Amino acid sequence: EAQVTQNPRYLITVTGKKLTVTCSQNMNHEYMSWYRQDPGLGLRQIYYSMNVEVTDKGDVPEGYKVSRKEKRNFPLILESPSPNQTSLYFCASSSSGSADTQYFGPGTRLTVL
Amino acid sequence: KQEVTQIPAALSVPEGENLVLNCSFTDSAIYNLQWFRQDPGKGLTSLLLIQSSQREQTSGRLNASLDKSSGRSTLYIAASQPGDSATYLCAVFSPYGNNRLAFGKGNQVVVIP
């Protein structure tokens, strides 16, 4: 089944404790991206990747890192999480870019205390 | 900067009625427009993708129209069912900026049995 998977689905952590949210897709998609969704603000892009070893900032990259060492995986790293990063995070992929149909993962609900 | 607006933020309709959801965007220079569905606590599912050269797309009970010159799109859902209850998001891909979609904040729909 074609899908985007994220882990963990739920995470409660404390300020400053490094964490990684994994994202994997099995559709051989070149384009992957991370969004955060907050009440009243909608979906905002954090980072995106056009292909392996090619990443770039989205609208709200501060406090986040990403890497794309393999085509299927695009982890989101929070090296020193803060409470304002409490949010619902989505990973998405598409065949070749934002112009194609986007496939979203199920989301990761992160709470930073 | 592209701004996407969806009004109303929430609406309720009785089962069987046709649903009409509106999306407006500020810059008509777009590549495409996508409609997504989001169920509570879940990821986004792409419903329809309309290229800038198209006027409408149809899938089953769903029909989406695009009027690029006026910056508007409408999603029609015929003969609504309780299972259509969800949040519907509109997203626009524009040929500038960091290769990303601009999302509206969504229409939260409740279909009353």
Side-chain angles (χ1 to χ4, degrees):
Chain A
E1 180 191 354
Q3 60 182 352
V4 179
T5 57
Q6 294 178 230
N7 282 292
R9 294 288 316 280
Y10 303 91
L11 179 60
I12 300 174
T13 189
V14 296
T15 298
K17 186 176 180 182
K18 181 179 178 179
L19 66 93
T20 299
V21 183
T22 65
C23 172
S24 183
Q25 50 90 7
N26 62 0
M27 295 169 278
N28 201 37
H29 283 168
E30 292 185 351
Y31 181 89
M32 298 185 73
S33 58
W34 277 101
Y35 293 86
R36 61 178 289 174
Q37 186 176 37
D38 301 288
L41 296 176
L43 274 152
R44 294 176 294 168
Q45 192 182 59
I46 303 170
Y47 268 96
Y48 67 95
S49 169
M50 296 296 291
N51 213 324
V52 175
E53 302 292 1
V54 181
T55 63
D56 208 346
K57 297 176 181 178
D59 289 314
V60 288
E62 295 77 21
Y64 304 94
K65 284 177 59 177
V66 292
S67 69
R68 187 91 180 272
K69 294 185 170 57
E70 305 168 281
K71 198 171 188 179
R72 63 182 293 127
N73 296 323
F74 190 44
L76 180 69
I77 303 158
L78 285 72
E79 296 218 325
S80 184
S82 62
N84 65 12
Q85 293 178 299
T86 292
S87 187
L88 180 58
Y89 291 86
F90 290 103
C91 179
S93 75
S94 66
S95 179
S96 62
S98 290
D100 298 314
T101 298
Q102 300 289 308
Y103 295 85
F104 279 77
T108 295
R109 186 166 292 282
L110 172 66
T111 301
V112 183
L113 302 174
Chain B
K1 181 184 174 184
Q2 181 74 269
E3 302 280 347
V4 181
T5 303
Q6 293 182 251
I7 296 172
L11 69 158
S12 299
V13 296
E15 182 178 0
E17 270 199 14
N18 296 332
L19 265 169
V20 180
L21 305 177
N22 294 305
C23 170
S24 61
F25 45 95
T26 53
D27 191 329
S28 61
I30 66 169
Y31 280 156
N32 64 42
L33 182 144
Q34 298 185 45
W35 282 95
F36 295 87
R37 168 183 172 140
Q38 185 176 24
D39 293 290
K42 303 232 174 131
L44 282 68
T45 301
S46 180
L47 297 174
L48 290 166
L49 169 67
I50 312 176
Q51 301 293 348
S52 62
S53 58
Q54 297 175 316
R55 294 300 300 267
E56 66 177 353
Q57 278 285 353
T58 298
S59 176
R61 293 185 296 112
L62 276 59
N63 174 276
S65 65
L66 174 64
D67 185 341
K68 204 172 63 164
S69 60
S70 67
R72 294 184 183 187
S73 176
T74 301
L75 178 66
Y76 299 88
I77 303 177
S80 62
Q81 304 168 357
D84 295 328
S85 298
T87 297
Y88 293 85
L89 293 154
C90 167
V92 170
F93 176 51
S94 303
Y96 54 82
N98 290 344
N99 192 43
R100 59 185 176 272
L101 295 173
F103 280 85
K105 294 177 183 175
N107 304 112
Q108 186 176 7
V109 172
V110 174
V111 179
I112 304 165

